[in-house]
Amino acid sequence: MRRKIKWTIIILMVIVLGGTIGFYIWKGETKSYSPEDTTKYQKGTLKVEVVYNRPYKKGREIFGNLVPYGEVWRTGANEATTFEVNRDIMVDGTKLQSGKYTLWTIPNQDSWKVIFNEKMYTWGIDLTTQEAARDPEYDMLTLEVPVNKNLKAVEQFTIYFDDQQNLNVMFLAWDHTVIAVPFKTAENKKPEN
């Protein structure tokens, strides 16, 4: 009896170990098609870092097809995209506290919803349902921004930063679509005497 239990435990350990190794091999393989990248922005004491995976267009119709309209997208490929900021910021007039968030989007033809979620996820989709792994209960900020069109197609999904007037702007660009998410450092008001 003890021998059967011992062999059962050994077999289960081999299965778990094999599954874990297989997952990491698969994960590494998917990153060769959509490599991980980090984009950083710094202005004065404000620091922002976005870690995301960058899929390629490869002749495909992206928005409304590969990335369906009206559905939550992990904003890249593989793991959920992360957005980390070291200071409180104002995004579309709403305060977002300093910290690390996952960045989700809901693309539509004329506008996108951009969602900052405080929960970290091991993967951007639920592997059993193939749907976004985001739990809306942890959404900290949701805003809607208009879609702008690029004349030239962007081959690889790209997130970058730029300054425009008195705002910092995060851009998300892929194919002929680009959206802008303006933000600025939140002013800490001093209490009145």
Side-chain angles (χ1 to χ4, degrees), residues 68-177:
Y69 288 137
E71 293 183 19
V72 178
W73 181 42
R74 58 187 154 179
T75 318
N78 306 328
E79 294 95 346
T81 294
T82 60
F83 176 96
E84 188 168 8
V85 61
N86 71 328
R87 294 190 59 188
D88 294 353
I89 57 174
M90 299 298 290
V91 184
D92 194 37
T94 303
K95 188 176 193 178
L96 182 68
Q97 293 185 339
S98 63
K100 188 172 184 179
Y101 301 89
T102 48
L103 184 66
W104 305 85
T105 48
I106 301 175
N108 285 298
Q109 195 163 1
D110 298 319
S111 66
W112 282 26
K113 287 188 178 176
V114 179
I115 303 161
F116 295 86
N117 184 287
E118 69 177 344
K119 187 175 178 183
M120 295 297 116
Y121 303 85
T122 55
W123 203 246
I125 59 170
D126 182 319
L127 296 175
T128 56
T129 64
Q130 296 297 306
E131 294 179 358
R134 166 185 152 259
D135 183 345
E137 188 175 313
Y138 295 93
D139 291 350
M140 298 305 293
L141 174 64
T142 301
L143 67 141
E144 193 160 348
V145 294
V147 167
N148 298 295
K149 294 294 179 185
N150 265 347
L151 293 178
K152 185 177 177 185
V154 176
E155 175 63 24
Q156 189 177 17
F157 176 60
T158 304
I159 298 176
Y160 62 97
F161 293 92
D162 197 7
D163 296 328
Q164 293 191 343
Q165 294 159 358
N166 289 324
L167 293 171
N168 317 299
V169 183
M170 177 176 66
F171 291 94
L172 287 72
W174 198 15
D175 197 7
H176 290 282
T177 299

